[in-house]
Amino acid sequence: MKLEIKPLHFFVNGEEIIDAKPDPTESLIDYLRRKLQLTGTKLGCGEGGCGSCTVTVSSYEEKENTFVHRSVNACLAPVCSLDGKHVVTIEALGSAKNPHPIQEALATSHGSQCGFCTPGIIMSAYSLSLNNDGAIKDEVNASLDGNLCRCTGYRPIVEGFTKLLESAPKICSKSGNCENEGRCKDDHACDDIEDVVSKARSIWPQSSKTKVPELLRSKHEADKWPKSYMFSSAVKSTNAESGVKWAHPGSLSELLQIMDEYPSAKIVNGNTELGIEVRFKQLRSSVWIYASDLPELKRVEVKADGVSVGAGVTLTSLQHELKKVVSSIEEYASRGILAILDNLKYFAGTQIRNVAVLGGNIITASPISDLNPIWVALDVVAVVQSLKYGIRRIPMKDFFVGYRKTALQTSEVLISIFIPFTKQHEFAKAYKQAKRREDDIAIVNAAFRLTVDPSTLLISYASLVFGGMAPTTMRANSASDFLIGKRLSATLVNEVSEVLMKDMPMSFSTPGGQVEYRKALSISFFSKFVLFIQSQLSETSVAREERSAIEDIVRPPVTAAQTYQEPQDGSIVGQSVIHLSAMKQVTGEAQYLDDIPSYGSELHAAFVMSSQAHAKILLVDPSEALKVVGVKGYISAKDIPSWKEDLSVEDPHNPNIIGPTFRDEEVFATKEVVFVGQPIGLIVADSPATAQLASKLVQVKYEPLIPVLTIEDAIKAGSFFPYTKVLRSGAFAVGPEIISEQEAADVPLSAATRHVEGEMRIAGQEHFYLETNASLVVPKGEDDEYEVFASTQNPTETQHLVSHVLGVPANRIVCRVKRLGGGFGGKETRSCFLSCAVAVAAHKLKKPVRYALSREEDMILSGTRHPFLGKYRVGFTEEGRLVSLELELFANGGFSMDLSLAVVERAMSHSDNVYKIPHVSILGRVCKTNLATNTAFRGFGGPQGMMVAEAWINHVADSLERSVDEIRMLNFYKLNQLTHYRQPLDDLHFERVWSEVMTTSDFLTRKAAVEQYNRLNKFKKRGIIAMPTKFGIAFTFRTFNQAGALVHVYASDGSVLVTHGGTEMGQGLHTKMIQIAAAALGVPISKVHLSETSTATVPNTSPTAASISSDINGMAVKFACEEIASRLAPYRERNPEASWESIVKMAYLDRVNLSANGFYRVPDLTYDWTTNQGRMFSYFTYGAACTEVEIDTLTGDHVVLRTDIVMDIGTSINPAIDIGQIEGAFAQGQGWCTIEQPLISPNSGVVLTRGPGAYKIPGFRDVPADFRVNIVKGSRNIRAVHSSKAVGEPPLFLGASVFWAVKDAIKSARHDNGLKDWFKLDCPATSERIRIACGDWITKVVRTDPIGDEKPWSCES
């Protein structure tokens, strides 16, 4: 059929947008950022998994005859889908000078650190405020389940929004009141924020930018039925072979006609699946059909025997409609509906549910769909239609015919499904288990329906259906048939388990991995179901201790407390000043690298990356890529100035070889690739999309070589970097390490009458900063000058390496950093490599070149926290006093050295945690593997060393059958004792920290309560642990312990400009520097400004890392300001009443220098690894945490009930910022040791976890429900600025208290199952490991061993 071609017509922030030739393949976020220059909306992942791109979309609903307002992922929404709608972005709400109350609430609650995720979070909360009807705390958490934050730990975000919304009366702008909690009972058209609002001030700000435009409203009111039209791209689309058509049918009949004409067309609704396939899998289709506006597909009809639901009903609407159905029917009839609702509440995030439609989820035929098993189990019928076949009804049990395949014929469309009500004596339930409870795809899901005679307990019908157990949604036919005629009893699960395993045969290498766990879940879910039915039939039929299996783990209501001390003398240092950029971040005004306005001639780059883990390069052919319209060139090593093919990789003058410490990496691979994703070249084009498309067309031929991938592979192959570190003390010391015979004699080795041996495997961790690595290199056009804008923690290293690659002096390269959207160590060195590659392109093409890595590219290229393997042997006395530690540490370094040696050194130095060990021998080695090089990550090896320490201290306690708390306290360091690297602990306050955490957490009382709970519950167990930490503060590379600063005072108005060597990445460094400067100069902070970090103002900067940036840069700023203050002192003495501005003017007129530089180096750092003598660290930051968790022993699910943290951080420069660092570090540490698990293919070396879909960081409802932080009062530190202490990294390891609390809970489950021996639990404690470690009879049934050399589908590196 012929559709009218019309322009795209929609509104953004109240402004009308008319685009005559829209690109159907363009996403809303690209349109907003590139075409409309609205850069407040951020691109974090491109797959709808992080929420950074959230906007509010107001669309007309024909059924409601009004506009509805929903949060939407702009990265997935095609811009063409916005026709006839109104988009509100962060820019519309308010400005830094006049913020919206929601923006102000987040800023003043200290809920924005790096700020990259903040606009998306604000927009989710804003969308909630448009629809809020009461349950504030629950709704705040629920509305944000599609948003991630890597910095804050979430507490201040929820707290800020909750306080704002709870304090706001509901006021109707029409009548002046609201009698129904925001739901208008009058005839008012309450359809936008101006009609029904939650108010924080006297009234929400009225804004033409946020209201639905009158033109749009009147258009829909005049003609409510959707129109028929088509968009057709004007030129060849960058994402398809030819132009793409976007069809918008106005009716179901038109949809069927279009499908008949274009049978291969793709139907788009929410685009939550197709959008990912387009962006990441280069899906091609010449025709897209947008069906989301069709009323015929949105109908929900309740009938006598069930519910008919249109295929176009969104999941949010489905939830709403089904809840109404449940309230209107008999209880027994609603059981199937309740099963659907149970899984819907954990289905994706709010933004996805708002646009994803029922039909789309069914048609994708995902084997892990949360809903498809329910449709099959409930005997749901699908209604499909086409012009050729008419209307057909297909039972859902026959609908899924293979992997991602359905029973639909060509051109058929799913119209609706019919969900029958459950009958009397029918029981239905659905289950799901994922890595993370909210917003995560299932590992396994299941839906069960049984008909049970309540008098005889005989089963007359059974349907057991699973997802995640086969290539498609599958009904366990044999098990279902087996159950018929059986009696519902306690032994039924055991009886059916063997049959169930035959229904779902899975080998050791089955795709998806986690084979034993998936099998265990299938049995465990059915076990829960049986107990559920028994409890429904008779409250007394389920034993008290087994009832805990019936309900999911419930996270308690959120609560929190922070205890700290602020100065009473009014000093600005020590006050909780809000983050310097907070107001800019909450309003979208804060500029990140990819927000920098485009240069007129700017080009964009994309890597050509290796597909092999280890191979020789035989041929690189970019010819096909160079044919793509818009491509400007292919860049390789040949384009590096001074590079020659005969240069050796060992040649220090080879400009293609770079590295932070050891130059052992190629900018562009030349003869050999050594990991999957290694850059071979760059495609440069006129747009990011064109560059990405063309980069996939470059042909590379390889000769494969055998890769080494894991630590175990490396040990077996002897693949190590040629640097072995040894740390020995006491009787183990040899040669120059021996300083005193007395050291070995005080507690002789022979005192150890008992020994334990074991090992601890610790996985890596993705940095997952929300802003990916990005670089923009601008040739200045003369004298070989280049300006490098980089998202880096290390401007000087960037400058030096770009200088080396381009062959120009460093004084011609200026590196500028405004702010980072998170770093965590991942941008300390790895960012430099991106800048070098982009610089080569800018040099060759003589134009600015920009490259912001996609999330997938970043996770493939940038490496992770180092995976570790620790093998220990510990000697101790019968009393439990430690005598000796022999430890081998192996770190997976990846393909190059990077910072791995320093990471291993810190792991070795922290392998004591807080425990005195007289005799220590530690060997540290870096494994060389064919993976992306692993790099710095918050803690820098310290957490891995301490994790091994906690393993052996727990092992010692377990072997003695004593409380680990007793063994800890027996071995705590005492004042002035020497560490194993012989540094005296001369400022030790740890016992006070420990005492406070034990008291404030009420540890002993709660431990007794946990033990009582565990006695009463079989399938849910609790664990509680108190755990310490000690973190050394200094760069172990002595040279980096220095910093410079430059301070200017301007005579015209007395304003102050501060620059220093540190970069701002959310940790509040710039804010603290302004507080220090204001205090030193005696001016209000409003007088002080800090713009950016630049190598042109402060040279030779150290990386912003090691938690020491506030110490060294703060001292440098303080010294510079004090120098200026000393010059102004005579004028202040002579004019005590004069204003600051007058004093400055007087000094200027007297020709006094109003500029000063400051410099500071940390004193007394003298450690020598050869002799194991000298001072390694400037000082130590101490902390302790008490954490209580609850686990589900049948699924491995867990929830963190409460955490109490006590930190000694000296005298805080800014308590609110420091508490934010503590909470954020804890959440990151919690993720590292529980749900974050980087996985690779053991066969190919491909990174499997390369986006939020597969890699899970903690979300809003993963952090402790009760989160308490206490900063020790009255503590001082003479070795840092203003008596403060470093706080960025030290608290991270306290997140591991979750791991040890989980293990404590597992221990109780194992005890119930007759297992009382020490058991090994590797890190992270994923749901899989928790479940299998519980060691019940099910784990024996599901045992699956490899056959021959069979490898698992995935593994840790």
Side-chain angles (χ1 to χ4, degrees):
M1 65 176 293
K2 187 172 179 60
L3 296 177
E4 174 194 1
I5 295 179
K6 68 176 280 290
L8 172 66
H9 184 202
F10 68 115
F11 290 79
V12 177
N13 299 337
E15 296 290 328
E16 186 177 20
I17 306 293
I18 300 176
D19 191 331
K21 296 293 182 180
D23 181 354
T25 66
E26 186 168 25
S27 66
L28 174 59
I29 191 167
D30 289 339
Y31 199 92
L32 292 173
R33 293 180 58 83
R34 304 295 176 195
K35 291 190 177 178
L36 302 184
Q37 298 299 303
L38 294 172
T39 56
T41 304
K42 308 302 182 190
L43 178 61
C45 69
E47 57 180 89
C50 72
S52 296
C53 65
T54 303
V55 296
T56 301
V57 174
S58 299
S59 58
Y60 180 78
E61 286 292 329
E62 182 263 347
K63 179 181 177 182
E64 308 289 338
N65 192 26
T66 187
F67 280 83
V68 296
H69 318 281
R70 301 294 186 200
S71 56
V72 170
N73 291 122
C75 71
L76 292 180
V79 68
C80 289
S81 71
L82 277 303
D83 191 78
K85 298 179 176 67
H86 182 217
V87 178
V88 178
T89 72
I90 189 72
E91 289 90 347
L93 269 63
S95 65
K97 293 182 179 179
N98 185 29
H100 189 283
I102 291 176
Q103 295 169 321
E104 189 174 29
L106 186 62
T108 56
S109 68
H110 308 280
S112 181
Q113 290 186 22
C114 88
F116 199 84
C117 66
T118 301
I121 290 172
I122 292 285
M123 295 311 298
S124 289
Y126 173 71
S127 299
L128 169 65
S129 76
L130 305 184
N131 302 291
N132 170 54
D133 61 357
I136 302 298
K137 276 194 177 180
D138 289 343
E139 288 203 14
V140 167
N141 276 285
S143 71
L144 298 175
D145 62 7
N147 293 83
L148 295 175
C149 173
R150 193 55 153 164
C151 297
T152 63
Y154 299 108
R155 187 274 310 165
I157 299 173
V158 174
E159 193 171 272
F161 289 155
T162 300
K163 286 180 179 178
L164 172 68
L165 295 174
E166 283 184 336
S167 66
K170 307 297 186 296
I171 299 177
C172 177
S173 63
K174 301 265 173 80
S175 66
N177 58 59
C178 183
E179 299 175 355
N180 193 32
E181 291 297 308
R183 300 289 185 186
C184 190
K185 288 183 176 179
D186 300 326
D187 293 329
H188 307 144
C190 294
D191 54 16
D192 61 30
I193 195 170
E194 283 71 37
D195 296 322
V196 181
V197 293
S198 275
K199 298 189 178 175
R201 296 175 176 171
S202 59
I203 190 167
W204 280 138
Q206 299 286 325
S207 169
S208 61
K209 294 182 178 181
T210 56
K211 292 180 66 173
V212 175
E214 284 302 320
L215 178 61
L216 184 61
R217 186 188 300 278
S218 60
K219 176 184 174 183
H220 282 291
E221 288 176 351
D223 190 352
K224 299 178 174 58
W225 198 261
K227 303 295 178 293
S228 306
Y229 55 81
M230 178 177 284
F231 302 133
S232 183
S233 56
V235 295
K236 183 189 294 186
S237 168
T238 57
N239 287 323
E241 296 291 328
S242 59
V244 177
K245 293 181 174 61
W246 177 279
H248 185 283
S251 65
L252 176 59
S253 63
E254 288 183 356
L255 170 62
L256 297 178
Q257 290 178 60
I258 298 170
M259 283 299 295
D260 190 62
E261 186 175 348
Y262 301 101
S264 62
K266 298 291 184 182
I267 296 179
V268 182
N269 286 283
N271 203 44
T272 56
E273 182 76 20
L274 288 176
I276 293 173
E277 293 190 354
V278 167
R279 185 180 287 271
F280 297 109
K281 300 178 183 178
Q282 286 73 54
L283 176 73
R284 303 286 189 266
S285 181
S286 59
V287 179
W288 299 85
I289 306 172
Y290 187 65
S292 197
D293 290 338
L294 296 180
E296 298 105 314
L297 299 183
K298 295 183 178 183
R299 292 172 182 157
V300 178
E301 298 178 66
V302 182
K303 302 180 180 180
D305 56 344
V307 188
S308 175
V309 182
V313 174
T314 66
L315 300 183
T316 295
S317 296
L318 182 62
Q319 282 180 296
H320 181 67
E321 295 293 335
L322 292 184
K323 285 177 182 177
K324 290 195 295 185
V325 171
V326 168
S327 65
S328 66
I329 59 178
E330 295 286 345
E331 182 278 328
Y332 68 82
S334 71
R335 291 168 185 168
I337 305 295
L338 289 172
I340 299 168
L341 289 171
D342 279 345
N343 269 20
L344 273 175
K345 66 185 177 184
Y346 297 127
F347 190 112
T350 300
Q351 298 93 320
I352 297 293
R353 293 193 299 270
N354 283 342
V355 297
V357 299
L358 175 66
N361 183 255
I362 292 172
I363 294 300
T364 58
S366 168
I368 51 173
S369 163
D370 290 350
L371 298 176
N372 289 344
I374 306 177
W375 309 141
V376 176
L378 294 181
D379 282 344
V380 167
V381 175
V383 179
V384 304
Q385 188 174 356
S386 67
L387 294 183
K388 183 176 182 180
Y389 300 104
I391 295 175
R392 294 199 302 141
R393 288 172 173 79
I394 308 174
M396 290 302 292
K397 64 183 177 62
D398 302 322
F399 194 82
F400 305 107
V401 298
Y403 179 70
R404 300 276 182 174
K405 293 181 180 179
T406 70
L408 286 182
Q409 299 294 327
T410 303
S411 77
E412 278 189 318
V413 176
L414 176 65
I415 305 301
S416 64
I417 64 171
F418 181 74
I419 308 169
F421 294 140
T422 41
K423 301 178 178 61
Q424 204 155 17
H425 310 318
E426 272 189 346
F427 297 89
K429 196 82 172 164
Y431 299 92
K432 171 184 175 179
Q433 183 60 43
K435 293 180 181 179
R436 185 178 66 204
R437 185 184 294 187
E438 280 79 25
D439 191 15
D440 194 5
I441 56 176
I443 297 169
V444 174
N445 45 38
F448 305 135
R449 181 163 63 101
L450 295 186
T451 302
V452 182
D453 186 315
S455 58
T456 65
L457 298 183
L458 290 178
I459 299 168
S460 57
Y461 177 82
S463 185
L464 278 56
V465 186
F466 295 91
M469 298 300 292
T472 185
T473 298
M474 64 155 293
R475 182 176 185 270
N477 291 322
S478 297
S480 298
D481 294 343
F482 174 85
L483 290 171
I484 296 173
K486 297 292 188 296
R487 187 175 185 276
L488 192 76
S489 66
T491 62
L492 184 62
V493 179
N494 301 65
E495 294 170 14
V496 79
S497 61
E498 186 176 341
V499 182
L500 197 56
M501 290 301 95
K502 290 179 180 177
D503 270 331
M504 297 175 290
M506 298 169 70
S507 68
F508 187 74
S509 59
T510 293
Q514 301 179 282
V515 172
E516 291 184 357
Y517 180 46
R518 287 153 71 185
K519 290 180 178 181
L521 284 173
S522 67
I523 301 174
S524 294
F525 285 159
F526 187 65
S527 178
K528 282 174 170 280
F529 185 53
V530 169
L531 289 168
F532 165 73
I533 297 174
Q534 289 176 325
S535 70
Q536 294 290 298
L537 293 173
S538 170
E539 290 186 7
T540 60
S541 63
V542 179
R544 164 68 182 83
E545 66 272 13
E546 293 187 334
R547 292 175 195 168
S548 59
I550 297 169
E551 299 298 331
D552 289 339
I553 286 179
V554 177
R555 186 172 187 249
V558 176
T559 185
Q562 306 86 44
T563 306
Y564 57 91
Q565 192 172 33
E566 289 187 332
Q568 302 302 308
D569 59 4
S571 171
I572 192 62
V573 171
Q575 298 292 339
S576 291
V577 176
I578 70 168
H579 195 287
L580 178 67
S581 297
M583 283 299 181
K584 294 188 283 288
Q585 289 166 187
V586 299
T587 56
E589 296 173 22
Q591 190 180 79
Y592 300 84
L593 190 140
D594 204 33
D595 301 334
I596 297 172
S598 175
Y599 287 79
S601 58
E602 182 178 293
L603 299 174
H604 300 267
F607 277 129
V608 175
M609 299 192 292
S610 166
S611 62
Q612 303 292 309
H614 194 196
K616 292 180 181 179
I617 298 174
L618 302 180
L619 172 71
V620 179
D621 179 8
S623 58
E624 289 301 312
L626 294 173
K627 294 176 185 177
V628 175
V629 176
V631 170
K632 303 302 180 183
Y634 172 71
I635 310 298
S636 69
K638 296 176 182 178
D639 298 300
I640 297 176
S642 304
W643 181 82
K644 297 176 183 177
E645 198 159 352
D646 59 354
L647 283 173
S648 164
V649 293
E650 285 83 22
D651 189 333
H653 302 294
N654 186 337
N656 191 40
I657 302 297
I658 57 177
T661 305
F662 304 89
R663 291 195 173 174
D664 59 353
E665 300 187 41
E666 289 187 298
V667 178
F668 299 112
T670 54
K671 299 176 181 178
E672 190 175 298
V673 291
V674 287
F675 73 97
V676 174
Q678 182 176 5
I680 296 171
L682 272 178
I683 287 290
V684 183
D686 57 8
S687 74
T690 301
Q692 286 289 342
L693 170 71
S695 70
K696 308 299 188 293
L697 300 178
V698 176
Q699 294 184 352
V700 184
K701 292 184 178 179
Y702 305 94
E703 180 185 320
L705 302 171
I706 298 174
V708 174
L709 300 173
T710 67
I711 293 174
E712 290 77 10
D713 289 346
I715 293 173
K716 184 178 180 180
S719 181
F720 300 104
F721 286 96
Y723 308 97
T724 299
K725 301 299 292 189
V726 178
L727 187 56
R728 291 178 288 237
S729 66
F732 294 121
V734 297
E737 300 166 344
I738 300 174
I739 60 170
S740 169
E741 296 296 330
Q742 189 62 36
E743 183 184 51
D746 285 345
V747 181
L749 272 175
S750 58
T753 56
R754 302 185 64 168
H755 291 83
V756 293
E757 295 184 41
E759 63 179 48
M760 181 81 176
R761 185 65 153 81
I762 304 166
Q765 183 181 23
E766 291 286 352
H767 299 85
F768 213 95
Y769 26 67
L770 269 295
E771 177 204 31
T772 60
N773 275 290
S775 185
L776 168 61
V777 179
V778 182
K780 304 304 288 183
E782 60 180 63
D783 296 329
D784 285 331
E785 291 183 340
Y786 293 84
E787 201 165 30
V788 181
F789 298 89
S791 179
T792 182
Q793 296 171 237
N794 205 342
T796 290
E797 188 70 13
T798 302
Q799 175 194 36
H800 291 171
L801 290 179
V802 170
S803 167
H804 167 72
V805 171
L806 296 186
V808 301
N811 63 2
R812 313 296 172 87
I813 312 292
V814 175
C815 183
R816 297 172 59 185
V817 181
K818 185 75 171 178
R819 61 173 59 81
L820 281 66
F824 316 116
K827 296 176 181 176
E828 182 176 345
T829 60
R830 307 319 299 166
S831 58
C832 305
F833 295 83
L834 177 63
S835 293
C836 288
V838 174
V840 176
H843 168 82
K844 178 182 179 181
L845 299 173
K846 302 294 188 263
K847 290 185 178 181
V849 179
R850 183 190 305 244
Y851 192 2
L853 296 180
S854 70
R855 176 62 55 188
E856 182 178 30
E857 289 171 330
D858 195 283
M859 294 180 77
I860 290 171
L861 284 167
S862 62
T864 69
R865 183 188 297 279
H866 287 72
F868 264 72
L869 173 63
K871 298 183 177 185
Y872 59 83
R873 184 174 188 268
V874 181
F876 51 99
T877 66
E878 293 294 335
E879 180 191 13
R881 193 172 295 279
L882 299 171
V883 176
S884 64
L885 169 65
E886 297 166 81
L887 176 64
E888 288 182 288
L889 290 175
F890 299 92
N892 192 331
F895 80 96
S896 71
M897 182 57 90
D898 192 71
L899 301 175
S900 295
L901 195 62
V903 168
V904 167
E905 288 175 353
R906 185 168 282 267
M908 294 167 72
S909 67
H910 284 66
S911 291
D912 57 340
N913 198 359
V914 294
Y915 311 118
K916 174 62 179 175
I917 318 158
H919 309 282
V920 174
S921 174
I922 304 176
L923 174 74
R925 303 203 72 177
V926 181
C927 300
K928 186 174 184 178
T929 59
N930 294 113
L931 297 172
T933 195
N934 292 318
T935 190
F937 197 137
R938 196 178 199 167
F940 203 78
Q944 293 96 314
M946 289 185 281
M947 195 62 151
V948 176
E950 289 305 304
W952 52 251
I953 198 75
N954 276 273
H955 199 166
V956 168
D958 198 75
S959 71
L960 292 169
E961 297 183 352
R962 290 173 57 190
S963 162
V964 69
D965 309 301
E966 291 181 56
I967 304 302
R968 289 187 206 282
M969 290 187 284
L970 184 64
N971 290 284
F972 282 157
Y973 277 116
K974 301 294 187 288
L975 185 65
N976 291 321
Q977 281 188 327
L978 297 181
T979 64
H980 58 298
Y981 43 92
R982 296 178 175 137
Q983 179 167 336
L985 300 177
D986 50 13
D987 192 24
L988 180 65
H989 303 293
F990 178 70
E991 288 193 356
R992 178 182 172 188
V993 170
W994 187 255
S995 175
E996 284 194 21
V997 81
M998 296 296 275
T999 300
T1000 58
S1001 68
D1002 196 18
F1003 177 77
L1004 294 178
T1005 301
R1006 288 171 55 210
K1007 187 172 179 62
V1010 164
E1011 291 170 354
Q1012 175 66 7
Y1013 178 91
N1014 289 342
R1015 282 191 288 270
L1016 297 175
N1017 293 278
K1018 179 179 180 181
F1019 296 117
K1020 289 204 174 63
K1021 296 291 184 180
R1022 290 184 177 177
I1024 186 170
I1025 201 82
M1027 195 194 76
T1029 189
K1030 167 178 63 70
F1031 196 86
I1033 305 302
F1035 283 103
T1036 50
F1037 179 54
R1038 189 181 311 154
T1039 301
F1040 282 166
N1041 293 284
Q1042 60 173 302
L1046 181 62
V1047 177
H1048 300 314
V1049 179
Y1050 294 94
S1052 60
D1053 58 3
S1055 61
V1056 181
L1057 179 65
V1058 174
T1059 56
H1060 61 91
T1063 60
E1064 176 60 57
M1065 49 190 168
Q1067 81 280 40
L1069 178 61
H1070 286 355
T1071 308
K1072 289 183 176 181
M1073 296 305 99
I1074 282 184
Q1075 288 179 267
I1076 290 169
L1081 293 172
V1083 299
I1085 59 173
S1086 59
K1087 276 289 181 186
V1088 188
H1089 180 61
L1090 205 161
S1091 177
E1092 66 176 7
T1093 307
S1094 170
T1095 56
T1097 53
V1098 179
N1100 308 316
T1101 60
S1102 298
T1104 304
S1107 301
I1108 203 171
S1109 296
S1110 290
D1111 290 6
I1112 58 177
N1113 291 290
M1115 278 294 196
V1117 168
K1118 183 172 179 284
F1119 288 168
C1121 290
E1122 287 174 345
E1123 176 63 27
I1124 294 174
S1126 69
R1127 296 172 192 167
L1128 298 177
Y1131 298 91
R1132 279 177 158 165
E1133 290 170 4
R1134 291 196 296 267
N1135 304 277
E1137 302 301 320
S1139 67
W1140 164 257
E1141 292 80 3
S1142 299
I1143 295 295
V1144 169
K1145 179 70 75 173
M1146 293 176 201
Y1148 169 71
L1149 293 173
D1150 267 0
R1151 296 175 295 173
V1152 171
N1153 184 0
L1154 295 176
S1155 177
N1157 76 301
F1159 180 79
Y1160 175 73
R1161 66 176 186 176
V1162 180
D1164 308 325
L1165 296 179
T1166 58
Y1167 184 75
D1168 182 346
W1169 276 88
T1170 306
T1171 61
N1172 192 20
Q1173 294 181 55
R1175 189 181 195 101
M1176 184 180 290
F1177 299 112
S1178 180
Y1179 60 89
F1180 297 90
T1181 295
Y1182 300 96
C1186 172
T1187 291
E1188 182 179 353
V1189 304
E1190 183 174 309
I1191 68 169
D1192 185 324
T1193 66
L1194 287 173
T1195 65
D1197 204 6
H1198 79 276
V1199 65
V1200 185
L1201 301 174
R1202 175 176 164 182
T1203 290
D1204 297 73
I1205 295 175
V1206 175
M1207 291 294 300
D1208 169 21
I1209 57 171
T1211 303
S1212 174
I1213 294 173
N1214 187 315
I1217 283 178
D1218 286 345
I1219 287 171
Q1221 288 292 290
I1222 292 167
E1223 292 172 335
F1226 180 92
Q1228 209 165 59
Q1230 174 190 344
W1232 165 61
C1233 68
T1234 54
I1235 63 175
E1236 297 187 47
Q1237 187 182 31
L1239 295 172
I1240 63 168
S1241 164
N1243 296 300
S1244 66
V1246 169
V1247 176
L1248 300 173
T1249 45
R1250 50 183 188 266
Y1255 187 82
K1256 300 299 171 182
I1257 69 171
F1260 274 84
R1261 289 190 270 193
D1262 293 304
V1263 295
D1266 187 348
F1267 205 174
R1268 310 182 188 195
V1269 176
N1270 176 27
I1271 295 177
V1272 171
K1273 297 176 182 176
S1275 175
R1276 299 183 63 80
N1277 176 28
I1278 63 172
R1279 294 185 62 86
V1281 62
H1282 287 290
S1283 293
S1284 63
K1285 279 189 174 185
V1287 72
E1289 292 172 290
L1292 183 135
F1293 181 63
L1294 295 180
S1297 62
V1298 177
F1299 176 95
W1300 295 105
V1302 163
K1303 190 171 185 185
D1304 187 49
I1306 295 171
K1307 189 175 179 179
S1308 175
R1310 289 174 64 87
H1311 190 275
D1312 287 354
N1313 294 321
L1315 303 172
K1316 300 181 181 180
D1317 293 339
W1318 166 260
F1319 66 100
K1320 177 174 177 269
L1321 182 67
D1322 286 333
C1323 176
T1326 60
S1327 55
E1328 174 187 14
R1329 286 178 173 152
I1330 294 170
R1331 174 63 188 91
I1332 299 302
C1334 288
D1336 61 355
W1337 67 272
I1338 295 175
T1339 62
K1340 298 177 177 63
V1341 171
V1342 302
R1343 178 72 180 267
T1344 307
D1345 295 317
I1347 299 173
D1349 295 329
E1350 187 181 18
K1351 293 182 179 180
W1353 181 78
S1354 65
C1355 69
E1356 296 173 356
S1357 61

